[in-house]
Amino acid sequence: MSEKKTKRRDFLFTATTAVGAVGAAAVVWPMIDQMNPDASVKALASTEVDVSSLTPGNTLTVLWRGKPVFIRRRTQEEIDEARKVKMEDLIHPEKDEDRAKNPEWLVMLGVCTHLGCVPLNDKGDYNGWFCPCHGSHYDTSGRIRKGPAPWNMEVPKYEFVNANTIKIG
Amino acid sequence: MSDNDYRPKSKVGQWFNDRLPLLTLANHLTDYPTPKNLNYWWTFGGILTFCLITQIVTGLTLAMHYIAHADMAFESVEHIMRDVNYGWLIRYIHANGASMFFLAVYIHIFRSLFYGSYKSPREIIWILGIIIYLLMMAAAFMGYVLPWGQMSFWGATVITNLFSAIPLVGEGIVTWLWGGYSVDNPTLTRFFTLHYLIPFLILGLVVLHIWALHVPGNNNPVGIDIKKPSKDTVPFHPYIVIKDGFALLMFMIVFAFFVFYAPNILGHADNYIEANPMVTPAHIVPEWYLLPFYAILRSVPDKLLGVVAMLSAILILAVLPWLDTSKIRSAVFRPLYRQFYWILVADVLILGYVGAMPAEGLYLLIARVATAYYFLHFLVILPVLGFKEKTLPVPLSITEPVLGGSPNLAAARNKESKIE
């Protein structure tokens, strides 16, 4: 068989299909992207919390972007317990020093990394948090120690605006 | 009589039918030759059609009163229950109707499994059925979110979070599904939209499901190909219509029992507490009809693999016609398959039970064994059985074993010869 010659018609067919595909994609994308977080949701991206009333050994739970954030003022024992853990014992190795820059304050999303439930305070085998949904245990640094959750509880971006106020986000 | 021979009697009928052959279709549905040995397990197709229409009609009326907004949804459901005339009745029919729908679909699926209705030439009917089943689960899940109670909210959180198990893009997909950084108002409004849409998609697929069924015709308890029309068939109307109607009445008694005497027994009390994103209920369970898959999800200790196992458990059904290598359809003539079939039924019931229990200790162990067996059944037992099993002789027609007095061909022949 002789080699197939590219005809004018083939070229037109390919070009039309290509332009059509680009056009379809241009129409489909807005339909998909409209489901992403809108401007009003993004506008609520940061929140300021007064933590002056929080005493050591207590946790404040605030809502940020529709999710609970745990602000824990840790006791010295909790800090010591979190810092003496060996990295090789951790499922998701992270140093407590990196998770809590100011060791007294642990700020993290109160969302279990398994399927998104809110873990319970002062529960579980590691004196930290326990998720009642599928049994994940977290330590005093909010790191996953036992159970199906794959990661430690997430530390969001936050900063101390002054001694008594934390800005999350 | 063949579809092509049909001609309306009246002039007007002929005029209309030449332009849109609706009367030919009606005639086809009326005369449709049906195996005369269909038992009551075959009545669930009609029952399911009833369930779908019930859900659509009650759903439409509920939508006239429901408000899809995170601040008002919970209250509007209570408004339906207390203020709207017969609102309680319509909502209880709709909520229990979902359970009845699944009850019927599980019987329908297991009937297919027993009598080999998924086998050639009915693979497309079966696959359409599995797609309908998947859409039913999506519709039921989203519908459960709409009352915006605690189970609604946390069920939605847990199920949407399943997608976060996908490597790299998972988190992005979850945010996209939510329309925010958690389950919130944008999630509720889109779930309402999709919950409204899906039943009509199901309706379309049901038409295709029945269309595909009418090409080869019904399977039957003996599982053999039959000539249509013949001694082995009866016209759909009035024979099957009456039988389906009677079964439907029986089914409606069960339905009415739940609606009037135990309307909340299949639900969860936590869903009468308004959604609170700060507190997770102590024990999250899905609706009963999703429990076996929930048990499979929890039996795998790894997050991604758990999700993969759960989805595989459903999708494996779609390839069932090719996993089952046996040429014999009906379990009546497959002595070994018949036993494995009942073990599978027990296995799924056990999975459903442990799915409702906390995932720890003995329950977890049972869930793991049952999950392993579920996959073993489809991936190992069925393919091997087709080659190893010694099946019983299959009769040549439906009439034969009846007249011969035995489902066994040899025995029937023997008897016939003795009579002669």
Side-chain angles (χ1 to χ4, degrees):
Chain A
M1 269 196 21
S2 63
E3 67 185 273
K4 202 169 169 251
K5 260 174 74 181
T6 311
K7 295 201 183 100
R8 268 164 68 96
R9 184 153 295 212
D10 295 330
F11 171 77
L12 283 172
F13 184 72
T14 310
T16 312
T17 310
V19 172
V22 170
V27 175
V28 166
W29 177 245
M31 292 297 159
I32 293 171
D33 193 43
Q34 56 83 20
M35 282 174 68
N36 271 318
D38 61 34
S40 73
V41 171
K42 284 181 182 159
L44 302 171
S46 77
T47 183
E48 289 193 8
V49 188
D50 179 10
V51 293
S52 57
S53 60
L54 205 59
T55 52
N58 280 305
T59 304
L60 187 69
T61 308
V62 295
L63 212 56
W64 172 66
R65 289 175 156 189
K67 283 178 178 166
V69 174
F70 294 152
I71 302 172
R72 173 96 178 164
R73 190 164 184 183
R74 298 192 293 182
T75 60
Q76 194 56 47
E77 297 89 82
E78 287 170 350
I79 298 167
D80 294 343
E81 194 181 330
R83 304 228 151 166
K84 73 169 192 247
V85 176
K86 292 198 208 85
M87 280 301 113
E88 54 264 35
D89 293 341
L90 294 171
I91 294 166
H92 176 193
E94 267 187 328
K95 281 191 184 145
D96 185 61
E97 286 83 345
D98 296 334
R99 290 178 59 79
K101 290 274 177 347
N102 179 348
E104 202 180 352
W105 297 93
L106 177 65
V107 179
M108 61 186 182
L109 292 185
V111 174
C112 180
T113 56
H114 182 224
L115 293 174
C117 298
V118 180
L120 303 168
N121 222 344
D122 294 320
K123 289 261 166 59
D125 297 354
Y126 296 88
N127 304 318
W129 284 266
F130 172 70
C131 182
C133 291
H134 306 95
S136 294
H137 299 255
Y138 295 88
D139 67 12
T140 57
S141 186
R143 292 173 296 199
I144 178 67
R145 301 301 294 274
K146 201 171 114 184
W151 305 297
N152 303 333
M153 279 192 265
E154 190 186 335
V155 176
K157 208 177 117 212
Y158 69 92
E159 58 182 4
F160 277 87
V161 181
N162 56 50
N164 289 328
T165 312
I166 296 178
K167 183 182 167 201
I168 305 166
Chain B
M1 89 192 72
S2 153
D3 291 348
N4 300 331
D5 299 342
Y6 174 73
R7 197 151 170 74
K9 285 194 185 73
S10 75
K11 271 262 158 59
V12 180
Q14 287 172 16
W15 178 88
F16 182 84
N17 207 48
D18 286 343
R19 283 152 183 82
L20 179 67
L22 269 188
L23 294 170
T24 302
L25 178 66
N27 175 258
H28 162 80
L29 293 175
T30 315
D31 284 354
Y32 173 64
T34 318
K36 65 181 179 185
N37 61 340
L38 295 190
N39 56 33
Y40 274 104
W41 300 115
W42 259 266
T43 59
F44 283 86
I47 287 169
L48 284 161
T49 312
F50 165 81
C51 288
L52 178 61
I53 291 166
T54 304
Q55 291 306 88
I56 289 176
V57 171
T58 52
L60 285 173
T61 44
L62 286 173
M64 294 178 188
H65 305 281
Y66 171 77
I67 301 165
H69 189 284
D71 295 338
M72 288 178 271
F74 187 80
E75 231 171 277
S76 75
V77 171
E78 283 311 299
H79 162 73
I80 288 169
M81 293 300 287
R82 290 151 197 265
D83 303 337
V84 174
N85 299 333
Y86 293 104
W88 60 272
L89 178 66
I90 298 168
R91 176 165 173 265
Y92 277 154
I93 292 175
H94 195 72
N96 286 285
S99 282
M100 293 300 113
F101 206 155
F102 276 95
L103 174 68
V105 92
Y106 282 128
I107 295 173
H108 195 62
I109 291 171
F110 274 100
R111 189 268 299 162
S112 258
L113 292 179
F114 189 84
Y115 293 111
S117 302
Y118 49 85
K119 292 187 197 186
S120 173
R122 297 184 179 81
E123 300 96 320
I124 298 292
I125 312 174
W126 172 256
I127 290 169
L128 286 168
I130 297 298
I131 297 170
I132 292 171
Y133 174 50
L134 278 170
L135 284 176
M136 278 175 63
M137 289 200 277
F141 159 65
M142 292 190 206
Y144 197 56
V145 175
L146 302 185
W148 212 239
Q150 273 289 65
M151 277 294 161
S152 301
F153 183 89
W154 291 102
T157 300
V158 167
I159 300 295
T160 48
N161 259 307
L162 293 178
F163 291 92
S164 71
I166 303 168
L168 301 176
V169 293
E171 297 289 339
I173 289 175
V174 173
T175 304
W176 177 72
L177 287 172
W178 288 341
Y181 303 104
S182 65
V183 172
D184 210 332
N185 195 50
T187 326
L188 178 61
T189 50
R190 68 190 54 178
F191 275 22
F192 180 56
T193 309
L194 295 173
H195 183 71
Y196 212 125
L197 166 72
I198 290 173
F200 296 99
L201 296 180
I202 293 178
L203 189 63
L205 284 164
V206 166
V207 171
L208 293 182
H209 192 65
I210 296 171
W211 185 1
L213 169 71
H214 279 233
V215 176
N218 291 69
N219 184 29
N220 64 78
V222 181
I224 54 168
D225 291 322
I226 51 167
K227 283 202 200 76
K228 332 170 273 180
S230 71
K231 278 201 297 189
D232 282 347
T233 65
V234 290
F236 187 78
H237 183 76
Y239 296 95
I240 304 298
V241 169
I242 294 297
K243 186 163 186 163
D244 277 1
F246 179 69
L248 180 59
L249 271 176
M250 294 296 114
F251 184 80
M252 283 162 83
I253 292 173
V254 178
F255 198 144
F257 169 80
F258 281 106
V259 170
F260 292 106
Y261 293 95
N264 287 308
I265 202 166
L266 298 170
H268 200 294
D270 273 333
N271 224 26
Y272 282 102
I273 303 168
E274 191 169 3
N276 180 356
M278 306 280 267
V279 183
T280 306
H283 186 46
I284 293 191
V285 278
E287 292 277 83
W288 68 268
Y289 39 80
L290 302 176
L291 286 173
F293 301 110
Y294 193 59
I296 291 173
L297 168 76
R298 296 194 306 179
S299 71
V300 182
D302 182 83
K303 179 171 164 178
L304 176 61
L305 291 179
V307 175
V308 169
M310 185 183 69
L311 290 177
S312 311
I314 304 166
L315 295 178
I316 203 169
L317 294 171
V319 291
L320 176 60
W322 296 275
L323 289 174
D324 186 344
T325 50
S326 176
K327 293 274 175 282
I328 305 298
R329 291 199 192 101
S330 175
V332 171
F333 304 104
R334 299 184 62 190
L336 283 177
Y337 173 72
R338 197 158 60 212
Q339 291 170 37
F340 284 115
Y341 170 86
W342 288 112
I343 296 173
L344 180 72
V345 172
D347 188 62
V348 172
L349 290 175
I350 289 168
L351 278 173
Y353 174 73
V354 292
M357 295 293 135
E360 56 198 26
L362 187 62
Y363 292 126
L364 192 57
L365 181 70
I366 295 171
R368 286 185 176 156
V369 173
T371 298
Y373 183 80
Y374 181 90
F375 286 104
L376 193 75
H377 177 90
F378 289 106
L379 293 175
V380 180
I381 295 174
L382 282 188
V384 173
L385 210 56
F387 298 106
K388 298 279 175 202
E389 187 177 32
K390 198 167 164 1
T391 54
L392 302 176
V394 175
L396 295 171
S397 74
I398 293 171
T399 318
E400 187 181 315
V402 180
L403 294 181
S406 162
N408 186 313
L409 179 62
R413 287 257 164 81
N414 208 8
K415 253 183 206 165
E416 275 171 29
S417 60
K418 267 179 196 159
I419 292 163
E420 285 161 18

